PDB file of all heavy atoms in Angstrom:
ATOM      1  N   TYR A  30       4.296   4.322  -6.410  1.00  0.00           N
ATOM      2  CA  TYR A  30       3.906   5.685  -6.861  1.00  0.00           C
ATOM      3  C   TYR A  30       2.671   5.765  -7.608  1.00  0.00           C
ATOM      4  O   TYR A  30       2.282   4.990  -8.369  1.00  0.00           O
ATOM      5  CB  TYR A  30       4.986   6.153  -7.827  1.00  0.00           C
ATOM      6  CG  TYR A  30       6.232   6.777  -6.963  1.00  0.00           C
ATOM      7  CD1 TYR A  30       7.173   5.827  -6.526  1.00  0.00           C
ATOM      8  CD2 TYR A  30       6.290   8.175  -6.702  1.00  0.00           C
ATOM      9  CE1 TYR A  30       8.160   6.341  -5.717  1.00  0.00           C
ATOM     10  CE2 TYR A  30       7.365   8.596  -5.885  1.00  0.00           C
ATOM     11  CZ  TYR A  30       8.367   7.729  -5.417  1.00  0.00           C
ATOM     12  OH  TYR A  30       9.403   8.225  -4.664  1.00  0.00           O
ATOM     13  N   THR A  31       1.768   6.719  -7.213  1.00  0.00           N
ATOM     14  CA  THR A  31       0.379   6.793  -7.878  1.00  0.00           C
ATOM     15  C   THR A  31       0.574   7.943  -8.759  1.00  0.00           C
ATOM     16  O   THR A  31       1.118   9.031  -8.393  1.00  0.00           O
ATOM     17  CB  THR A  31      -0.651   7.125  -6.896  1.00  0.00           C
ATOM     18  OG1 THR A  31      -0.446   8.351  -6.150  1.00  0.00           O
ATOM     19  CG2 THR A  31      -0.846   5.877  -5.890  1.00  0.00           C
ATOM     20  N   SER A  32       0.075   7.817 -10.061  1.00  0.00           N
ATOM     21  CA  SER A  32       0.124   8.952 -10.985  1.00  0.00           C
ATOM     22  C   SER A  32      -1.163   9.846 -10.762  1.00  0.00           C
ATOM     23  O   SER A  32      -2.259   9.550 -10.940  1.00  0.00           O
ATOM     24  CB  SER A  32       0.092   8.498 -12.382  1.00  0.00           C
ATOM     25  OG  SER A  32      -0.990   7.507 -12.551  1.00  0.00           O
ATOM     26  N   GLY A  33      -0.814  11.058 -10.262  1.00  0.00           N
ATOM     27  CA  GLY A  33      -1.935  12.084 -10.181  1.00  0.00           C
ATOM     28  C   GLY A  33      -2.195  12.756 -11.433  1.00  0.00           C
ATOM     29  O   GLY A  33      -1.413  12.521 -12.470  1.00  0.00           O
ATOM     30  N   THR A  34      -3.426  13.137 -11.630  1.00  0.00           N
ATOM     31  CA  THR A  34      -3.820  13.823 -12.819  1.00  0.00           C
ATOM     32  C   THR A  34      -2.984  15.140 -13.066  1.00  0.00           C
ATOM     33  O   THR A  34      -2.880  15.573 -14.126  1.00  0.00           O
ATOM     34  CB  THR A  34      -5.288  14.118 -12.864  1.00  0.00           C
ATOM     35  OG1 THR A  34      -5.723  14.572 -11.684  1.00  0.00           O
ATOM     36  CG2 THR A  34      -6.124  12.821 -13.167  1.00  0.00           C
ATOM     37  N   THR A  35      -2.679  15.779 -11.963  1.00  0.00           N
ATOM     38  CA  THR A  35      -1.893  17.029 -11.997  1.00  0.00           C
ATOM     39  C   THR A  35      -0.724  16.667 -11.036  1.00  0.00           C
ATOM     40  O   THR A  35      -0.731  16.122 -10.056  1.00  0.00           O
ATOM     41  CB  THR A  35      -2.624  18.187 -11.580  1.00  0.00           C
ATOM     42  OG1 THR A  35      -3.153  17.984 -10.230  1.00  0.00           O
ATOM     43  CG2 THR A  35      -3.753  18.555 -12.431  1.00  0.00           C
ATOM     44  N   GLY A  36       0.472  17.367 -11.375  1.00  0.00           N
ATOM     45  CA  GLY A  36       1.657  17.441 -10.448  1.00  0.00           C
ATOM     46  C   GLY A  36       2.496  16.013 -10.608  1.00  0.00           C
ATOM     47  O   GLY A  36       2.022  15.240 -11.430  1.00  0.00           O
ATOM     48  N   ASP A  37       3.428  16.031  -9.849  1.00  0.00           N
ATOM     49  CA  ASP A  37       4.372  14.879  -9.766  1.00  0.00           C
ATOM     50  C   ASP A  37       3.631  13.670  -9.087  1.00  0.00           C
ATOM     51  O   ASP A  37       2.665  13.825  -8.253  1.00  0.00           O
ATOM     52  CB  ASP A  37       5.497  15.119  -8.963  1.00  0.00           C
ATOM     53  CG  ASP A  37       6.400  16.243  -9.553  1.00  0.00           C
ATOM     54  OD1 ASP A  37       6.485  16.214 -10.862  1.00  0.00           O
ATOM     55  OD2 ASP A  37       6.976  17.081  -8.918  1.00  0.00           O
ATOM     56  N   PRO A  38       4.095  12.382  -9.539  1.00  0.00           N
ATOM     57  CA  PRO A  38       3.526  11.289  -8.756  1.00  0.00           C
ATOM     58  C   PRO A  38       3.791  11.240  -7.388  1.00  0.00           C
ATOM     59  O   PRO A  38       4.872  11.897  -6.921  1.00  0.00           O
ATOM     60  CB  PRO A  38       4.308  10.042  -9.507  1.00  0.00           C
ATOM     61  CG  PRO A  38       4.871  10.622 -10.623  1.00  0.00           C
ATOM     62  CD  PRO A  38       5.018  12.184 -10.516  1.00  0.00           C
ATOM     63  N   LYS A  39       2.847  10.753  -6.550  1.00  0.00           N
ATOM     64  CA  LYS A  39       3.096  10.704  -5.131  1.00  0.00           C
ATOM     65  C   LYS A  39       3.581   9.263  -4.719  1.00  0.00           C
ATOM     66  O   LYS A  39       2.940   8.261  -5.214  1.00  0.00           O
ATOM     67  CB  LYS A  39       1.763  10.913  -4.321  1.00  0.00           C
ATOM     68  CG  LYS A  39       1.393  12.491  -4.398  1.00  0.00           C
ATOM     69  CD  LYS A  39       0.312  12.823  -3.331  1.00  0.00           C
ATOM     70  CE  LYS A  39      -0.992  12.339  -3.562  1.00  0.00           C
ATOM     71  NZ  LYS A  39      -1.962  13.317  -4.103  1.00  0.00           N
ATOM     72  N   GLY A  40       4.627   9.180  -3.905  1.00  0.00           N
ATOM     73  CA  GLY A  40       5.128   7.875  -3.470  1.00  0.00           C
ATOM     74  C   GLY A  40       4.454   7.560  -2.208  1.00  0.00           C
ATOM     75  O   GLY A  40       4.371   8.344  -1.254  1.00  0.00           O
ATOM     76  N   VAL A  41       3.738   6.484  -2.235  1.00  0.00           N
ATOM     77  CA  VAL A  41       2.958   5.913  -0.995  1.00  0.00           C
ATOM     78  C   VAL A  41       3.812   5.002  -0.221  1.00  0.00           C
ATOM     79  O   VAL A  41       4.201   3.879  -0.721  1.00  0.00           O
ATOM     80  CB  VAL A  41       1.707   5.264  -1.368  1.00  0.00           C
ATOM     81  CG1 VAL A  41       0.786   4.960  -0.172  1.00  0.00           C
ATOM     82  CG2 VAL A  41       0.837   6.221  -2.342  1.00  0.00           C
ATOM     83  N   LEU A  42       4.164   5.346   1.076  1.00  0.00           N
ATOM     84  CA  LEU A  42       5.182   4.506   1.863  1.00  0.00           C
ATOM     85  C   LEU A  42       4.194   3.416   2.554  1.00  0.00           C
ATOM     86  O   LEU A  42       3.370   3.664   3.315  1.00  0.00           O
ATOM     87  CB  LEU A  42       5.694   5.413   2.986  1.00  0.00           C
ATOM     88  CG  LEU A  42       6.675   6.451   2.428  1.00  0.00           C
ATOM     89  CD1 LEU A  42       6.837   7.530   3.460  1.00  0.00           C
ATOM     90  CD2 LEU A  42       8.094   5.790   2.148  1.00  0.00           C
ATOM     91  N   LEU A  43       4.457   2.236   2.107  1.00  0.00           N
ATOM     92  CA  LEU A  43       3.522   1.038   2.579  1.00  0.00           C
ATOM     93  C   LEU A  43       4.541   0.165   3.379  1.00  0.00           C
ATOM     94  O   LEU A  43       5.537  -0.490   2.926  1.00  0.00           O
ATOM     95  CB  LEU A  43       2.979   0.425   1.389  1.00  0.00           C
ATOM     96  CG  LEU A  43       2.058   1.225   0.566  1.00  0.00           C
ATOM     97  CD1 LEU A  43       1.476   0.518  -0.685  1.00  0.00           C
ATOM     98  CD2 LEU A  43       0.788   1.550   1.478  1.00  0.00           C
ATOM     99  N   MET A  44       4.157  -0.060   4.575  1.00  0.00           N
ATOM    100  CA  MET A  44       4.957  -0.818   5.622  1.00  0.00           C
ATOM    101  C   MET A  44       4.676  -2.417   5.434  1.00  0.00           C
ATOM    102  O   MET A  44       3.606  -2.738   4.929  1.00  0.00           O
ATOM    103  CB  MET A  44       4.539  -0.398   6.925  1.00  0.00           C
ATOM    104  CG  MET A  44       4.854   1.120   7.223  1.00  0.00           C
ATOM    105  SD  MET A  44       4.209   1.732   8.868  1.00  0.00           S
ATOM    106  CE  MET A  44       2.437   2.005   8.564  1.00  0.00           C
ATOM    107  N   HIS A  45       5.499  -3.184   6.158  1.00  0.00           N
ATOM    108  CA  HIS A  45       5.221  -4.538   6.068  1.00  0.00           C
ATOM    109  C   HIS A  45       3.972  -4.951   6.748  1.00  0.00           C
ATOM    110  O   HIS A  45       3.236  -5.874   6.128  1.00  0.00           O
ATOM    111  CB  HIS A  45       6.313  -5.304   6.996  1.00  0.00           C
ATOM    112  CG  HIS A  45       7.640  -5.432   6.109  1.00  0.00           C
ATOM    113  ND1 HIS A  45       7.953  -6.530   5.347  1.00  0.00           N
ATOM    114  CD2 HIS A  45       8.638  -4.542   5.911  1.00  0.00           C
ATOM    115  CE1 HIS A  45       9.179  -6.310   4.755  1.00  0.00           C
ATOM    116  NE2 HIS A  45       9.551  -5.141   5.103  1.00  0.00           N
ATOM    117  N   MET A  46       3.518  -4.353   7.739  1.00  0.00           N
ATOM    118  CA  MET A  46       2.139  -4.669   8.429  1.00  0.00           C
ATOM    119  C   MET A  46       1.089  -4.266   7.626  1.00  0.00           C
ATOM    120  O   MET A  46      -0.039  -4.791   7.708  1.00  0.00           O
ATOM    121  CB  MET A  46       2.133  -4.068   9.832  1.00  0.00           C
ATOM    122  CG  MET A  46       1.931  -2.611   9.853  1.00  0.00           C
ATOM    123  SD  MET A  46       1.642  -1.932  11.556  1.00  0.00           S
ATOM    124  CE  MET A  46       1.123  -0.394  11.213  1.00  0.00           C
ATOM    125  N   ASN A  47       1.256  -3.331   6.758  1.00  0.00           N
ATOM    126  CA  ASN A  47       0.164  -2.811   5.751  1.00  0.00           C
ATOM    127  C   ASN A  47      -0.214  -4.221   4.858  1.00  0.00           C
ATOM    128  O   ASN A  47      -1.383  -4.462   4.811  1.00  0.00           O
ATOM    129  CB  ASN A  47       0.457  -1.682   4.881  1.00  0.00           C
ATOM    130  CG  ASN A  47       0.780  -0.334   5.649  1.00  0.00           C
ATOM    131  OD1 ASN A  47       1.620   0.422   5.195  1.00  0.00           O
ATOM    132  ND2 ASN A  47       0.179  -0.262   6.793  1.00  0.00           N
ATOM    133  N   TRP A  48       0.795  -4.693   4.327  1.00  0.00           N
ATOM    134  CA  TRP A  48       0.665  -5.825   3.326  1.00  0.00           C
ATOM    135  C   TRP A  48       0.093  -7.071   4.055  1.00  0.00           C
ATOM    136  O   TRP A  48      -0.771  -7.748   3.670  1.00  0.00           O
ATOM    137  CB  TRP A  48       2.046  -6.022   2.563  1.00  0.00           C
ATOM    138  CG  TRP A  48       2.362  -4.986   1.774  1.00  0.00           C
ATOM    139  CD1 TRP A  48       3.527  -4.070   1.940  1.00  0.00           C
ATOM    140  CD2 TRP A  48       1.819  -4.553   0.469  1.00  0.00           C
ATOM    141  NE1 TRP A  48       3.661  -3.163   0.889  1.00  0.00           N
ATOM    142  CE2 TRP A  48       2.704  -3.440   0.042  1.00  0.00           C
ATOM    143  CE3 TRP A  48       0.830  -5.101  -0.263  1.00  0.00           C
ATOM    144  CZ2 TRP A  48       2.312  -2.867  -1.277  1.00  0.00           C
ATOM    145  CZ3 TRP A  48       0.563  -4.486  -1.514  1.00  0.00           C
ATOM    146  CH2 TRP A  48       1.337  -3.357  -1.997  1.00  0.00           C
ATOM    147  N   THR A  49       0.838  -7.312   5.206  1.00  0.00           N
ATOM    148  CA  THR A  49       0.536  -8.670   5.852  1.00  0.00           C
ATOM    149  C   THR A  49      -0.908  -8.597   6.469  1.00  0.00           C
ATOM    150  O   THR A  49      -1.542  -9.589   6.476  1.00  0.00           O
ATOM    151  CB  THR A  49       1.556  -8.985   6.902  1.00  0.00           C
ATOM    152  OG1 THR A  49       1.734  -8.061   7.908  1.00  0.00           O
ATOM    153  CG2 THR A  49       3.026  -9.188   6.264  1.00  0.00           C
ATOM    154  N   SER A  50      -1.269  -7.402   7.083  1.00  0.00           N
ATOM    155  CA  SER A  50      -2.649  -7.434   7.726  1.00  0.00           C
ATOM    156  C   SER A  50      -3.687  -7.493   6.667  1.00  0.00           C
ATOM    157  O   SER A  50      -4.668  -8.247   6.799  1.00  0.00           O
ATOM    158  CB  SER A  50      -2.768  -6.114   8.490  1.00  0.00           C
ATOM    159  OG  SER A  50      -2.831  -5.015   7.653  1.00  0.00           O
ATOM    160  N   ASN A  51      -3.471  -6.993   5.486  1.00  0.00           N
ATOM    161  CA  ASN A  51      -4.430  -7.141   4.463  1.00  0.00           C
ATOM    162  C   ASN A  51      -4.426  -8.381   3.847  1.00  0.00           C
ATOM    163  O   ASN A  51      -5.550  -8.831   3.491  1.00  0.00           O
ATOM    164  CB  ASN A  51      -4.148  -6.123   3.356  1.00  0.00           C
ATOM    165  CG  ASN A  51      -5.283  -5.340   2.700  1.00  0.00           C
ATOM    166  OD1 ASN A  51      -5.666  -5.616   1.563  1.00  0.00           O
ATOM    167  ND2 ASN A  51      -5.999  -4.548   3.468  1.00  0.00           N
ATOM    168  N   HIS A  52      -3.218  -9.139   3.826  1.00  0.00           N
ATOM    169  CA  HIS A  52      -3.377 -10.560   3.407  1.00  0.00           C
ATOM    170  C   HIS A  52      -4.138 -11.365   4.482  1.00  0.00           C
ATOM    171  O   HIS A  52      -5.034 -12.183   3.990  1.00  0.00           O
ATOM    172  CB  HIS A  52      -1.940 -11.177   3.324  1.00  0.00           C
ATOM    173  CG  HIS A  52      -1.922 -12.528   3.582  1.00  0.00           C
ATOM    174  ND1 HIS A  52      -2.610 -13.453   2.606  1.00  0.00           N
ATOM    175  CD2 HIS A  52      -1.514 -13.388   4.524  1.00  0.00           C
ATOM    176  CE1 HIS A  52      -2.489 -14.783   3.091  1.00  0.00           C
ATOM    177  NE2 HIS A  52      -1.881 -14.732   4.348  1.00  0.00           N
ATOM    178  N   HIS A  53      -3.884 -11.212   5.709  1.00  0.00           N
ATOM    179  CA  HIS A  53      -4.544 -11.975   6.715  1.00  0.00           C
ATOM    180  C   HIS A  53      -6.188 -11.767   6.625  1.00  0.00           C
ATOM    181  O   HIS A  53      -6.776 -12.768   6.835  1.00  0.00           O
ATOM    182  CB  HIS A  53      -4.056 -11.600   8.103  1.00  0.00           C
ATOM    183  CG  HIS A  53      -2.644 -12.157   8.450  1.00  0.00           C
ATOM    184  ND1 HIS A  53      -2.127 -13.434   8.070  1.00  0.00           N
ATOM    185  CD2 HIS A  53      -1.495 -11.395   8.873  1.00  0.00           C
ATOM    186  CE1 HIS A  53      -0.916 -13.483   8.484  1.00  0.00           C
ATOM    187  NE2 HIS A  53      -0.424 -12.289   8.791  1.00  0.00           N
ATOM    188  N   ALA A  54      -6.388 -10.477   6.371  1.00  0.00           N
ATOM    189  CA  ALA A  54      -7.915 -10.160   6.291  1.00  0.00           C
ATOM    190  C   ALA A  54      -8.513 -10.887   5.018  1.00  0.00           C
ATOM    191  O   ALA A  54      -9.668 -11.505   5.179  1.00  0.00           O
ATOM    192  CB  ALA A  54      -8.188  -8.744   6.144  1.00  0.00           C
ATOM    193  N   ARG A  55      -7.835 -11.064   3.901  1.00  0.00           N
ATOM    194  CA  ARG A  55      -8.310 -11.752   2.767  1.00  0.00           C
ATOM    195  C   ARG A  55      -8.337 -13.282   3.074  1.00  0.00           C
ATOM    196  O   ARG A  55      -9.389 -13.846   2.679  1.00  0.00           O
ATOM    197  CB  ARG A  55      -7.283 -11.419   1.539  1.00  0.00           C
ATOM    198  CG  ARG A  55      -7.497 -10.152   0.984  1.00  0.00           C
ATOM    199  CD  ARG A  55      -6.724 -10.159  -0.446  1.00  0.00           C
ATOM    200  NE  ARG A  55      -5.336 -10.112  -0.212  1.00  0.00           N
ATOM    201  CZ  ARG A  55      -4.584  -9.117  -0.146  1.00  0.00           C
ATOM    202  NH1 ARG A  55      -5.098  -7.904  -0.097  1.00  0.00           N
ATOM    203  NH2 ARG A  55      -3.270  -9.195   0.089  1.00  0.00           N
ATOM    204  N   ALA A  56      -7.356 -13.715   3.818  1.00  0.00           N
ATOM    205  CA  ALA A  56      -7.293 -15.168   3.940  1.00  0.00           C
ATOM    206  C   ALA A  56      -8.381 -15.613   4.940  1.00  0.00           C
ATOM    207  O   ALA A  56      -9.059 -16.681   4.839  1.00  0.00           O
ATOM    208  CB  ALA A  56      -5.952 -15.520   4.648  1.00  0.00           C
ATOM    209  N   LYS A  57      -8.808 -14.708   5.946  1.00  0.00           N
ATOM    210  CA  LYS A  57      -9.844 -15.058   6.748  1.00  0.00           C
ATOM    211  C   LYS A  57     -11.193 -15.060   6.038  1.00  0.00           C
ATOM    212  O   LYS A  57     -12.119 -15.896   6.274  1.00  0.00           O
ATOM    213  CB  LYS A  57      -9.966 -13.950   7.851  1.00  0.00           C
ATOM    214  CG  LYS A  57      -9.085 -14.287   9.107  1.00  0.00           C
ATOM    215  CD  LYS A  57      -9.010 -13.299  10.162  1.00  0.00           C
ATOM    216  CE  LYS A  57      -7.959 -13.654  11.049  1.00  0.00           C
ATOM    217  NZ  LYS A  57      -7.647 -12.697  12.091  1.00  0.00           N
TER     218      LYS A  57
END
């Protein structure tokens, strides 16, 4: 959840491939 300056926080749906692909890119 990201806290917006206005309104309710927004929940960002992050998938397994989002995390793993970003890890592999860092590792490379």
Side-chain angles (χ1 to χ4, degrees):
Y30 279 80
T31 60
S32 50
T34 41
T35 56
D37 294 323
K39 285 198 287 254
V41 183
L42 293 158
L43 298 172
M44 303 173 276
H45 281 266
M46 72 176 192
N47 296 153
W48 295 105
T49 57
S50 67
N51 222 245
H52 155 66
H53 292 306
R55 281 190 292 272
K57 276 180 188 165

